[in-house]
Amino acid sequence: MVCFRLSPVPGSGLVLLCLVLGAVSSYALELNVTDSEKATCLYAKWQMNFTIRYETTSKTYKTVTISNFSTATYNGSICGDGQNNPKIAVQFGSGFSWTVNFTKEASSTYSIDGISFSYNISDNTTFPDAKDKGILTVHDAVGFRIPLNNIFRCNSLSTLEKNGVVQSYWDVHVQAFVQNGTVSTKEFLCEKDKTITTVVPITPTTAPPPTTTPTPKEKPEVGSYSVNNSNGTCLLATMGLQLNFTHDKVVSVININPNTTDFTGSCQPQTALLRLNCSNIKYLDFVFAVKNENRFYLKEVNVSMYLVNGSVFSIANNNLSYWDAPLGSSYMCNKEQTVSVSGAFQINTFDLRVQPFNVMEGKYSTAQDCSADDDNFLVPIVVGAALAGVLILVLLAYFIGLKRHHAGYEQF
């Protein structure tokens, strides 16, 4: 964790910012604004990225994803007073800014009033060959109401889309108008998070405990996922996913529904990340890596899921070796495969095809099929069987010849 202590903002006290470096350049931002008496008045912790589609001078379109906020500053973030409302203000990159405004409503609620994102399309590093120039701004009037002395929580992925800009937010925790300098422990959940924390009342009974055998699941629906960067599509994945996990000696099976699953990620020269998120899955990360400068493979899987009893199931393994294929190609396996992340968590894949590097024109390259792996095992088996057959024939011929030789002596 790298912490930056910024200079005091007039009228708002000291701003403390912590940036936590996550997997594959994913940044979690944490902001604590204090008043003149050094009491917390505004608190926020969140993750975000921005995907922007823009027109080039050659009348084509490109897409760029902005996810690195390591150089962010927070000038203008304030607690609010009689004349100004609380505000989170973030500046990053070359002329980029992001602002959230809060409004107090009556005496019982406050609202996230609006979110504004401004980007400098004149920045040739981020937007090469952009047709337009200058600072462009998109504003979304959110108007989301939150009870006072509640912290708003939304771990699920939320998106805002307007004018070719997609804003993605997840792992959000925010509270404005903090009372008595203490951030509340009482959470007000977004709708997506509400659907995964409801606990069904259980009537006490003397019946035997339920079996730990999971209910058989049908084959999951196949979903298509992609990740974009400044050069276009950089990662492609098509697969049906079935999660098998054991918690408190109970085995459960979940099929991922691609129609209700959000996805994001990032691409780097040596690593690539695909992150899936839905109502009961905080995140499911697939991290790919390059090895020997000529092949890629699935190196890491991280998962965090919400269970019906309100607890969280989390597993991580960064020492895997699945889906190995040459760079410049894709990996394909139509049959069912199992990725064993741990003894308590496995992923069954169906109709799998992935390409995390060197995607050209948004299309898959030639695939290496998993059946080739089977062939590698079959070749020595077939050769061994053939040699055994030849040996048996030689021995049979020897014994037959020996028998005839003895028969000739008896006749003589």
Side-chain angles (χ1 to χ4, degrees), residues 353-375:
R353 190 169 186 181
V354 294
Q355 185 170 346
F357 301 98
N358 300 348
V359 176
M360 304 298 292
E361 299 180 350
K363 299 178 181 179
Y364 283 110
S365 301
T366 304
Q368 174 169 308
D369 199 295
C370 61
S371 60
D373 299 334
D374 296 336
D375 293 342

Side-chain angles (χ1 to χ4, degrees), residues 259-270:
N259 299 315
T260 58
T261 299
D262 296 307
F263 54 92
T264 184
S266 59
C267 299
Q268 307 294 331
Q270 297 294 315

Side-chain angles (χ1 to χ4, degrees), residues 5 26 51 85 93 113 123 180 226 266 271 339 345 358 384 392:
R5 188 173 297 273
S26 175
T51 300
N85 288 321
D113 192 42
D123 179 12
N180 302 319
S226 62
S266 59
T271 57
V339 175
F345 181 67
N358 300 348
I392 291 172

Side-chain angles (χ1 to χ4, degrees), residues 340-351:
S340 182
V341 181
S342 72
F345 181 67
Q346 298 84 38
I347 303 175
N348 294 336
T349 62
F350 301 81
D351 300 318

Side-chain angles (χ1 to χ4, degrees), residues 210-224:
T211 177
T212 60
T213 303
T215 303
K217 285 280 185 178
E218 67 278 4
K219 183 178 178 181
E221 185 176 347
V222 175
S224 296

Side-chain angles (χ1 to χ4, degrees), residues 60-107:
T60 60
Y61 286 87
K62 291 184 178 180
T63 302
V64 61
T65 297
I66 300 170
S67 58
N68 188 340
F69 308 103
S70 59
T71 60
T73 59
Y74 291 75
N75 299 322
S77 297
I78 59 174
C79 294
D81 50 33
Q83 297 180 346
N84 300 293
N85 288 321
K87 178 173 66 175
I88 297 175
V90 185
Q91 305 83 36
F92 52 93
S94 178
F96 297 82
S97 63
W98 181 75
T99 304
V100 182
N101 293 293
F102 302 88
T103 302
K104 192 173 183 179
E105 299 181 350
S107 59

